[in-house]
Amino acid sequence: MIKTVKDVDLKGKRIIMRVDFNVPMKDGVVQDDTRIMAALPTIKYIIEQNPKSLVLMSHLGDPKKDVKKAQEKAEKAGKTWTDADSEKFINGKNRMKPVVDYFAEKLGKKVTFLSDALGQKATIDALPVGSVAMLENVRFHKEETSKDSAERDVMAKELATYGDIFVNDAFGTAHRDQASTASIAKFMPVESVGGFLMEKEVKYIEPMVKNPAKPMIAIIGGAKVSSKIAVLESLLKNASALVIGGGMAYTFLKAQGYKVGKSLVEDDFIDTAKKLLKEADSKGAKIILPVDHVGASEFSPDAKAVAIDGKDIPDDLMAMDVGPKTIEEYKNVISSAKSIVWNGPVGVFEFDAFAKGTETVAKLVAEATGRGAMTVVGGGDSVAAVNKFHLADKMSHVSTGGGASLEFLEGKTLPGIAILATK
């Protein structure tokens, strides 16, 4: 287990802390504060310990890439794009100041905004005792995300001068080896520690990969097999059953020789699907694939739902959700689980006509939690699903990291966690 802020003396110290305030923005207004609220317990605890100062740092989008996408979109629409357009776009999407103002309101305390991530040591050292400050978006500096470790180290070394102790509570960026997430730890005078959010992510996700309570059920959905191969292989080591749903299920069904109609299929990964099915069989792990479906003639929220009673899908239809027989199979396998990891929806839950499968999975996992099972929900779409169905608080843990939780479930060592001291 990692050491946290509770394991070090923070009184009178300068704290430099990485948070994940990469929140959705529209016209300079925060659209979803989930990540901000998730960091508050650690921030409030640090403040209560009377540090000399607490300086927060985060990224917000990726300014260079975001501007490029906006420019391409404008030019495609026949509009001229100028430097003024770039500045206006960045001010509405990538500047930390609106986030700082929002955060200060939630914290109930003044937060000093520092208009650059670098060159701030003198300002930080001059802050009144007990001050909270936040740097401008660290990704305005190319060194933050540089592939060259020496280039990253230049920025990391300067960031390290802002604090005596580095606290990382940004699980959402833990899979990135960047100046403010991992490299900074090399230059800190004492060992680096995690925040409560980071501690919780490690506490719940790591056992799912290493030593889960059994029977362990993995529910893996989403559009593509290609993005979930490593997760499937990793979880197969301990899973009693793999429930495979969403678009990726149809690559597996095609690999078994069934007709998939117009459903999403990755033909390049049919052999991979066959290999995984064979591997599961050799390990005695059950693979649960859809045995019936809810289909449609087109991918649209207004498309008419068509019941498909059987594994084969007619040529003129695409599967959009699982059918009632499949849902019964889900109930049977989930009812006995002592631990469950869920990553990815089993249907197009964004469209109400095709949301029943994913909603039922959310309810079944919530019920399992109530019976004492350890349940972890990770990945952006499955998190969005439990939020849509108002069941997030019924799960043992809902991860704040999309790519980070995926890589953690793959069994990878995450740089932002590897640099933290352990107990």
Side-chain angles (χ1 to χ4, degrees), residues 184-205:
I184 182 175
K186 293 187 283 187
F187 305 103
M188 298 305 300
V190 296
E191 58 190 12
S192 300
V193 297
F196 301 140
L197 177 61
M198 188 72 84
E199 178 187 38
K200 192 179 180 191
E201 296 277 8
V202 174
K203 175 186 173 183
Y204 282 99
I205 299 178

mmCIF file of all heavy atoms in Angstrom, residues 184-205:
data_model
loop_
_atom_site.group_PDB
_atom_site.id
_atom_site.type_symbol
_atom_site.label_atom_id
_atom_site.label_comp_id
_atom_site.label_asym_id
_atom_site.label_seq_id
_atom_site.Cartn_x
_atom_site.Cartn_y
_atom_site.Cartn_z
ATOM 1 N N ILE A 184 8.889 14.873 -11.272
ATOM 2 C CA ILE A 184 9.105 15.789 -10.149
ATOM 3 C C ILE A 184 9.607 15.065 -8.905
ATOM 4 O O ILE A 184 10.417 15.603 -8.135
ATOM 5 C CB ILE A 184 7.810 16.575 -9.826
ATOM 6 C CG1 ILE A 184 8.046 17.564 -8.679
ATOM 7 C CG2 ILE A 184 6.649 15.649 -9.547
ATOM 8 C CD1 ILE A 184 6.840 18.454 -8.385
ATOM 9 N N ALA A 185 9.169 13.817 -8.701
ATOM 10 C CA ALA A 185 9.528 13.077 -7.488
ATOM 11 C C ALA A 185 11.037 12.884 -7.350
ATOM 12 O O ALA A 185 11.561 12.802 -6.234
ATOM 13 C CB ALA A 185 8.814 11.730 -7.471
ATOM 14 N N LYS A 186 11.744 12.836 -8.480
ATOM 15 C CA LYS A 186 13.194 12.623 -8.456
ATOM 16 C C LYS A 186 13.931 13.775 -7.787
ATOM 17 O O LYS A 186 15.051 13.611 -7.312
ATOM 18 C CB LYS A 186 13.729 12.464 -9.888
ATOM 19 C CG LYS A 186 13.270 11.210 -10.589
ATOM 20 C CD LYS A 186 13.978 11.031 -11.921
ATOM 21 C CE LYS A 186 13.422 11.933 -12.996
ATOM 22 N NZ LYS A 186 13.983 11.660 -14.326
ATOM 23 N N PHE A 187 13.303 14.939 -7.777
ATOM 24 C CA PHE A 187 13.999 16.145 -7.295
ATOM 25 C C PHE A 187 13.480 16.658 -5.957
ATOM 26 O O PHE A 187 13.891 17.712 -5.485
ATOM 27 C CB PHE A 187 13.890 17.245 -8.364
ATOM 28 C CG PHE A 187 14.394 16.807 -9.705
ATOM 29 C CD1 PHE A 187 13.504 16.458 -10.722
ATOM 30 C CD2 PHE A 187 15.755 16.692 -9.961
ATOM 31 C CE1 PHE A 187 13.957 16.019 -11.952
ATOM 32 C CE2 PHE A 187 16.224 16.254 -11.200
ATOM 33 C CZ PHE A 187 15.323 15.920 -12.203
ATOM 34 N N MET A 188 12.571 15.931 -5.341
ATOM 35 C CA MET A 188 12.038 16.339 -4.046
ATOM 36 C C MET A 188 13.000 15.939 -2.927
ATOM 37 O O MET A 188 13.626 14.887 -2.985
ATOM 38 C CB MET A 188 10.674 15.695 -3.796
ATOM 39 C CG MET A 188 9.580 16.078 -4.783
ATOM 40 S SD MET A 188 9.296 17.851 -4.955
ATOM 41 C CE MET A 188 8.854 18.303 -3.266
ATOM 42 N N PRO A 189 13.111 16.775 -1.886
ATOM 43 C CA PRO A 189 14.048 16.476 -0.789
ATOM 44 C C PRO A 189 13.633 15.281 0.072
ATOM 45 O O PRO A 189 14.472 14.649 0.707
ATOM 46 C CB PRO A 189 14.057 17.768 0.034
ATOM 47 C CG PRO A 189 12.781 18.472 -0.314
ATOM 48 C CD PRO A 189 12.479 18.095 -1.729
ATOM 49 N N VAL A 190 12.329 14.968 0.101
ATOM 50 C CA VAL A 190 11.857 13.808 0.867
ATOM 51 C C VAL A 190 10.980 12.940 -0.027
ATOM 52 O O VAL A 190 10.586 13.349 -1.124
ATOM 53 C CB VAL A 190 11.048 14.230 2.126
ATOM 54 C CG1 VAL A 190 11.928 14.991 3.095
ATOM 55 C CG2 VAL A 190 9.826 15.055 1.744
ATOM 56 N N GLU A 191 10.624 11.751 0.442
ATOM 57 C CA GLU A 191 9.825 10.838 -0.356
ATOM 58 C C GLU A 191 8.443 11.421 -0.658
ATOM 59 O O GLU A 191 7.887 12.174 0.140
ATOM 60 C CB GLU A 191 9.689 9.484 0.347
ATOM 61 C CG GLU A 191 9.079 9.543 1.734
ATOM 62 C CD GLU A 191 9.183 8.217 2.470
ATOM 63 O OE1 GLU A 191 9.910 7.323 2.004
ATOM 64 O OE2 GLU A 191 8.532 8.086 3.513
ATOM 65 N N SER A 192 7.916 11.068 -1.810
ATOM 66 C CA SER A 192 6.621 11.581 -2.246
ATOM 67 C C SER A 192 5.503 10.651 -1.782
ATOM 68 O O SER A 192 5.711 9.446 -1.637
ATOM 69 C CB SER A 192 6.601 11.709 -3.769
ATOM 70 O OG SER A 192 7.629 12.597 -4.196
ATOM 71 N N VAL A 193 4.320 11.230 -1.549
ATOM 72 C CA VAL A 193 3.193 10.446 -1.035
ATOM 73 C C VAL A 193 1.932 10.679 -1.865
ATOM 74 O O VAL A 193 1.853 11.631 -2.639
ATOM 75 C CB VAL A 193 2.898 10.792 0.449
ATOM 76 C CG1 VAL A 193 4.083 10.417 1.330
ATOM 77 C CG2 VAL A 193 2.532 12.267 0.614
ATOM 78 N N GLY A 194 0.971 9.819 -1.677
ATOM 79 C CA GLY A 194 -0.296 9.936 -2.390
ATOM 80 C C GLY A 194 -1.346 10.663 -1.565
ATOM 81 O O GLY A 194 -1.213 10.807 -0.345
ATOM 82 N N GLY A 195 -2.390 11.105 -2.250
ATOM 83 C CA GLY A 195 -3.547 11.674 -1.576
ATOM 84 C C GLY A 195 -4.561 10.574 -1.332
ATOM 85 O O GLY A 195 -4.349 9.413 -1.699
ATOM 86 N N PHE A 196 -5.683 10.930 -0.737
ATOM 87 C CA PHE A 196 -6.702 9.927 -0.396
ATOM 88 C C PHE A 196 -7.359 9.311 -1.627
ATOM 89 O O PHE A 196 -7.750 8.142 -1.612
ATOM 90 C CB PHE A 196 -7.779 10.549 0.508
ATOM 91 C CG PHE A 196 -7.230 11.099 1.800
ATOM 92 C CD1 PHE A 196 -7.712 12.299 2.314
ATOM 93 C CD2 PHE A 196 -6.234 10.434 2.492
ATOM 94 C CE1 PHE A 196 -7.210 12.808 3.500
ATOM 95 C CE2 PHE A 196 -5.725 10.929 3.680
ATOM 96 C CZ PHE A 196 -6.212 12.124 4.197
ATOM 97 N N LEU A 197 -7.497 10.106 -2.686
ATOM 98 C CA LEU A 197 -8.093 9.583 -3.919
ATOM 99 C C LEU A 197 -7.175 8.527 -4.533
ATOM 100 O O LEU A 197 -7.623 7.441 -4.917
ATOM 101 C CB LEU A 197 -8.351 10.712 -4.916
ATOM 102 C CG LEU A 197 -8.903 10.294 -6.282
ATOM 103 C CD1 LEU A 197 -10.247 9.602 -6.145
ATOM 104 C CD2 LEU A 197 -9.026 11.506 -7.200
ATOM 105 N N MET A 198 -5.885 8.843 -4.604
ATOM 106 C CA MET A 198 -4.908 7.887 -5.137
ATOM 107 C C MET A 198 -4.898 6.615 -4.289
ATOM 108 O O MET A 198 -4.878 5.494 -4.816
ATOM 109 C CB MET A 198 -3.517 8.519 -5.151
ATOM 110 C CG MET A 198 -2.465 7.691 -5.851
ATOM 111 S SD MET A 198 -2.655 7.659 -7.649
ATOM 112 C CE MET A 198 -1.806 9.169 -8.103
ATOM 113 N N GLU A 199 -4.946 6.784 -2.979
ATOM 114 C CA GLU A 199 -4.972 5.641 -2.068
ATOM 115 C C GLU A 199 -6.184 4.744 -2.336
ATOM 116 O O GLU A 199 -6.067 3.520 -2.379
ATOM 117 C CB GLU A 199 -5.014 6.143 -0.620
ATOM 118 C CG GLU A 199 -5.090 5.031 0.416
ATOM 119 C CD GLU A 199 -5.297 5.545 1.823
ATOM 120 O OE1 GLU A 199 -6.048 6.530 2.006
ATOM 121 O OE2 GLU A 199 -4.709 4.966 2.752
ATOM 122 N N LYS A 200 -7.336 5.370 -2.547
ATOM 123 C CA LYS A 200 -8.569 4.614 -2.773
ATOM 124 C C LYS A 200 -8.518 3.849 -4.099
ATOM 125 O O LYS A 200 -8.927 2.688 -4.175
ATOM 126 C CB LYS A 200 -9.767 5.574 -2.759
ATOM 127 C CG LYS A 200 -11.109 4.857 -2.687
ATOM 128 C CD LYS A 200 -12.273 5.845 -2.650
ATOM 129 C CE LYS A 200 -13.599 5.094 -2.569
ATOM 130 N NZ LYS A 200 -14.766 5.948 -2.787
ATOM 131 N N GLU A 201 -7.994 4.488 -5.136
ATOM 132 C CA GLU A 201 -7.894 3.836 -6.445
ATOM 133 C C GLU A 201 -7.010 2.586 -6.351
ATOM 134 O O GLU A 201 -7.357 1.520 -6.862
ATOM 135 C CB GLU A 201 -7.324 4.810 -7.490
ATOM 136 C CG GLU A 201 -8.188 6.028 -7.778
ATOM 137 C CD GLU A 201 -9.305 5.762 -8.778
ATOM 138 O OE1 GLU A 201 -9.521 4.583 -9.150
ATOM 139 O OE2 GLU A 201 -9.962 6.733 -9.196
ATOM 140 N N VAL A 202 -5.859 2.738 -5.685
ATOM 141 C CA VAL A 202 -4.943 1.606 -5.532
ATOM 142 C C VAL A 202 -5.580 0.512 -4.678
ATOM 143 O O VAL A 202 -5.513 -0.677 -5.011
ATOM 144 C CB VAL A 202 -3.604 2.069 -4.915
ATOM 145 C CG1 VAL A 202 -2.702 0.866 -4.607
ATOM 146 C CG2 VAL A 202 -2.879 3.042 -5.850
ATOM 147 N N LYS A 203 -6.224 0.923 -3.599
ATOM 148 C CA LYS A 203 -6.839 -0.026 -2.661
ATOM 149 C C LYS A 203 -7.877 -0.915 -3.345
ATOM 150 O O LYS A 203 -7.969 -2.116 -3.050
ATOM 151 C CB LYS A 203 -7.498 0.754 -1.524
ATOM 152 C CG LYS A 203 -8.274 -0.115 -0.539
ATOM 153 C CD LYS A 203 -9.011 0.754 0.475
ATOM 154 C CE LYS A 203 -9.936 -0.080 1.355
ATOM 155 N NZ LYS A 203 -10.712 0.765 2.296
ATOM 156 N N TYR A 204 -8.656 -0.342 -4.261
ATOM 157 C CA TYR A 204 -9.738 -1.113 -4.871
ATOM 158 C C TYR A 204 -9.355 -1.797 -6.183
ATOM 159 O O TYR A 204 -9.827 -2.896 -6.470
ATOM 160 C CB TYR A 204 -10.960 -0.216 -5.099
ATOM 161 C CG TYR A 204 -11.749 0.021 -3.835
ATOM 162 C CD1 TYR A 204 -11.592 1.190 -3.103
ATOM 163 C CD2 TYR A 204 -12.635 -0.938 -3.355
ATOM 164 C CE1 TYR A 204 -12.309 1.405 -1.926
ATOM 165 C CE2 TYR A 204 -13.353 -0.740 -2.182
ATOM 166 C CZ TYR A 204 -13.180 0.436 -1.477
ATOM 167 O OH TYR A 204 -13.880 0.623 -0.313
ATOM 168 N N ILE A 205 -8.525 -1.142 -7.002
ATOM 169 C CA ILE A 205 -8.231 -1.716 -8.319
ATOM 170 C C ILE A 205 -7.136 -2.781 -8.259
ATOM 171 O O ILE A 205 -7.243 -3.826 -8.895
ATOM 172 C CB ILE A 205 -7.863 -0.618 -9.351
ATOM 173 C CG1 ILE A 205 -9.035 0.358 -9.516
ATOM 174 C CG2 ILE A 205 -7.512 -1.247 -10.702
ATOM 175 C CD1 ILE A 205 -8.769 1.507 -10.469
#
